[in-house]
Amino acid sequence: MTTTNLPNNAALARAATPSAPFGTDVTWTNWGGNQSATPAFTVRPRTEQEALDAVRFAIREGLPVRAVGSGHSSSPLVQTGGVLMDMSALSAITGTDKGRRRARALAGTTISAFGDPLWEQGLALGNQGDIDKQQIAGALSTSTHGSGKDLGSFSSSLRWVKLINGYGEIVEIGEGQLRELRAAQVALGTLGVFLEVELAVEDRYYLQEEITYPTWSETAATWQTDIDANRHYSFLWCPEDGSCELLDLPGAPGQSMANRSYTKRYNIAQVQDEREISRTEGARLDRSYRIYPGGFTTPFHELEYFVPSEHGLAAVEAVQELIRTKHSAQRYPVEVRWVKADEGYMSQFQGRDTTVITLTTEPGTDYWPFFRDADALLQEFEPRAHWGKIHFMTRKRLERLYPELDTFIQIRREFDPRGIFLNDHTRALVG
Ligand SMILES: Cc1cc2nc3c(=O)[nH]c(=O)nc-3n(C[C@H](O)[C@H](O)[C@H](O)COP(=O)(O)OP(=O)(O)OC[C@H]3O[C@@H](n4cnc5c(N)ncnc54)[C@H](O)[C@@H]3O)c2cc1C
């Protein structure tokens, strides 16, 4: 996304302008290239005051507001015809507390920017996902996660947030306000614009990576043992030999990858001296934050569904059967991960230890019949969906799947009674 420093519409500039750099009619497109919008104003605040001015400007002008992080969501979360707040300039670690294992950061800080500063203070993020390019507020807003049956999503680690609400006021939510905090933990950008957050973090740790390539029957045979025995366990099941390469992952040397999995195990390792660090492919030993992120630089589109862990194996096997029997043109790996239950009202993990199933497809191809069939097939497992990926959720479904939906909507309305932070997509879901 580009923003300009100079307003190009002088009349609007005279009437009332945000104090931050802004552009008018700048087209925004997401990372995957499947979502775009042309907001009336794209504002890039550099300070809290500039962010506040932008929201107040929008309120005065009767314009809706959406914040954008790194634009890595492929659902229509960010679109607005009003004011788009590009939060990338609000980026810094603002404090750490080693004793309480806490870190504060401005909302636009990317996950990658937590690594070195936290490590220097003896701390690290407790878990991370496949990439670290997302801004922390973006990751929190969709309950971004990694893998590990005892590890929660980013949202589950949110302990405090400072945000601008729909009245154009800066407010704080901390652990003393659990009702509101559980709403803020996964808010889809609808409570307001996050300015700064505090996360529960861990003492810093090293991870030993182990990459293996089991056949499907081997994976199924050790299903529960692998989930239980590893801090991080995940795999990418390959429908055919060339599947791994589509995600820039190395295949099994000398063996076909068809019906095998690229399997990751990360466990804590003791390192006395950083000369022990190893970058050997498939057996790296390094600081935690250097192990988690993969490449994933070529755009793809994904649907990601979440089923209760007790149904994980059955759900994965049902998806494999769907690919084999009806959608054999789908060549991308199917990624499978685990996330611990949490309490965020709109968290996909609320009250459920979860198995995550990610279906990846190629931009420009007609993947809709595959996604629709997968959606229908997985219904028997009561799936929830990743807010930041393609999904078929409706208000009706949410009423069944999220026991605290009404509480969330009530809190959302308290923070933003006029709905200035809604767009069409979020209004249909939680308006
Ligand atoms: C290559 C790739 C790999 C991925 N890997 C994973 C993974 O391993 N695990 C996983 O769970 N997900 C993964 N995702 C999904 C991704 O983590 C989410 O879509 C995440 O929300 C993107 O963060 P972002 O900063 O790009 O936010 P955006 O996509 O820009 O925004 C997401 C939401 O956050 C809101 N938001 C952003 N900033 C603010 C703010 N300051 N205040 C209020 N609301 C705000 C936006 O309004 C929007 O509703 C991946 C996506 C891609 C493209």
Side-chain angles (χ1 to χ4, degrees):
M1 181 173 60
T2 48
T3 55
T4 60
N5 284 323
L6 291 173
N8 61 10
N9 183 325
L12 275 172
R14 270 197 305 276
T17 60
S19 56
F22 72 96
T24 57
D25 299 329
V26 178
T27 298
W28 168 86
T29 306
N30 71 335
W31 178 87
N34 66 325
Q35 304 290 346
S36 61
T38 308
F41 288 84
T42 300
V43 180
R44 188 164 178 268
R46 296 159 301 189
T47 62
E48 231 172 68
Q49 186 60 48
E50 288 186 346
L52 187 61
D53 288 346
V55 173
R56 289 180 175 170
F57 162 77
I59 293 171
R60 255 197 332 267
E61 299 295 318
L63 294 168
V65 179
R66 292 296 286 166
V68 61
S70 300
H72 275 59
S73 296
S74 44
S75 53
L77 279 174
V78 161
Q79 274 87 337
T80 181
V83 175
L84 184 66
M85 308 252 309
D86 165 1
M87 301 300 285
S88 56
L90 284 171
S91 167
I93 303 295
T94 49
T96 52
D97 183 334
K98 170 85 169 108
R100 291 172 60 240
R101 297 196 186 103
R102 294 293 170 88
R104 281 194 180 195
L106 299 184
T109 310
T110 57
I111 294 170
S112 61
F114 281 72
D116 288 334
L118 260 59
W119 192 267
E120 280 157 23
Q121 301 304 319
L123 296 167
L125 296 171
N127 200 12
Q128 295 181 215
D130 286 343
I131 59 162
D132 58 8
K133 309 280 183 242
Q134 307 96 318
Q135 292 179 17
I136 190 62
L140 290 164
S141 299
T142 63
S143 207
T144 289
H145 60 87
S147 188
K149 82 162 179 55
D150 296 321
L151 305 173
S153 68
F154 277 97
S155 296
S156 69
S157 71
L158 182 72
R159 296 290 181 271
W160 170 88
V161 56
K162 179 160 56 166
L163 63 104
I164 306 170
N165 66 16
Y167 297 94
E169 303 163 334
I170 293 184
V171 294
E172 297 181 34
I173 305 172
E175 289 171 271
Q177 298 127 291
L178 260 196
R179 174 177 172 272
E180 289 76 14
L181 188 64
R182 285 178 181 156
Q185 279 172 334
V186 188
L188 315 176
T190 65
L191 284 197
V193 177
F194 284 21
L195 296 170
E196 191 177 359
V197 298
E198 180 177 301
L199 306 180
V201 295
E202 300 288 327
D203 288 337
R204 70 188 192 187
Y205 55 101
Y206 292 88
L207 287 175
Q208 174 69 62
E209 171 192 62
E210 185 193 357
I211 303 294
T212 58
Y213 298 94
T215 61
W216 177 248
S217 55
E218 288 166 344
T219 297
T222 57
W223 185 264
Q224 197 58 45
T225 321
D226 272 320
I227 298 167
D228 291 339
N230 296 288
R231 186 179 191 275
H232 168 118
Y233 173 64
S234 68
F235 63 82
L236 293 106
W237 172 77
C238 296
E240 63 176 55
D241 196 23
S243 299
C244 262
E245 285 80 354
L246 296 172
L247 291 178
D248 303 322
L249 297 169
Q255 283 167 320
S256 166
M257 279 305 292
N259 207 23
R260 274 182 199 277
S261 297
Y262 176 94
T263 300
K264 304 193 249 184
R265 296 179 183 80
Y266 303 152
N267 285 298
I268 290 188
Q270 301 307 320
V271 169
Q272 307 305 333
D273 182 328
E274 288 217 336
R275 279 174 297 189
E276 295 169 42
I277 282 176
S278 162
R279 307 248 153 86
T280 305
E281 178 80 45
R284 293 173 300 154
L285 169 63
D286 210 335
R287 298 178 181 185
S288 54
Y289 63 93
R290 293 178 185 156
I291 293 286
Y292 293 116
F296 302 111
T297 47
T298 313
F300 48 71
H301 296 164
E302 288 183 327
L303 169 144
E304 185 168 294
Y305 274 18
F306 303 86
V307 303
S309 273
E310 58 271 28
H311 302 310
L313 180 56
V316 172
E317 290 191 324
V319 167
Q320 290 173 329
E321 191 61 10
L322 178 71
I323 293 174
R324 280 196 202 101
T325 55
K326 197 165 170 200
H327 294 284
S328 53
Q330 296 302 326
R331 303 166 56 225
Y332 276 80
V334 174
E335 187 172 17
V336 181
R337 292 176 280 181
W338 284 265
V339 183
K340 188 180 162 192
D342 64 26
E343 295 178 311
Y345 299 139
M346 296 309 293
S347 167
Q348 304 91 311
F349 315 109
Q350 195 270 340
R352 308 200 321 198
D353 288 333
T354 295
T355 301
V356 180
I357 303 174
T358 311
L359 307 183
T360 304
T361 55
E362 190 176 351
T365 61
D366 182 14
Y367 46 72
W368 291 104
F370 174 47
F371 279 178
R372 274 194 219 99
D373 283 348
D375 172 75
L377 177 83
L378 291 172
Q379 288 310 308
E380 72 168 291
F381 305 110
E382 296 281 297
R384 292 171 177 163
H386 197 306
W387 298 118
K389 305 197 182 187
I390 292 166
H391 63 75
F392 299 93
M393 288 291 135
T394 60
R395 180 74 155 253
K396 268 232 134 359
R397 285 197 192 181
L398 300 194
E399 283 166 6
R400 208 179 61 244
L401 292 166
Y402 290 83
E404 297 291 350
L405 176 68
D406 287 347
T407 315
F408 178 80
I409 291 174
Q410 198 181 328
I411 295 167
R412 191 201 65 64
R413 289 177 181 157
E414 287 163 17
F415 275 69
D416 181 25
R418 283 166 293 189
I420 71 159
F421 296 116
L422 294 173
N423 63 6
D424 289 348
H425 179 67
T426 51
R427 184 175 297 103
L429 295 172
V430 296

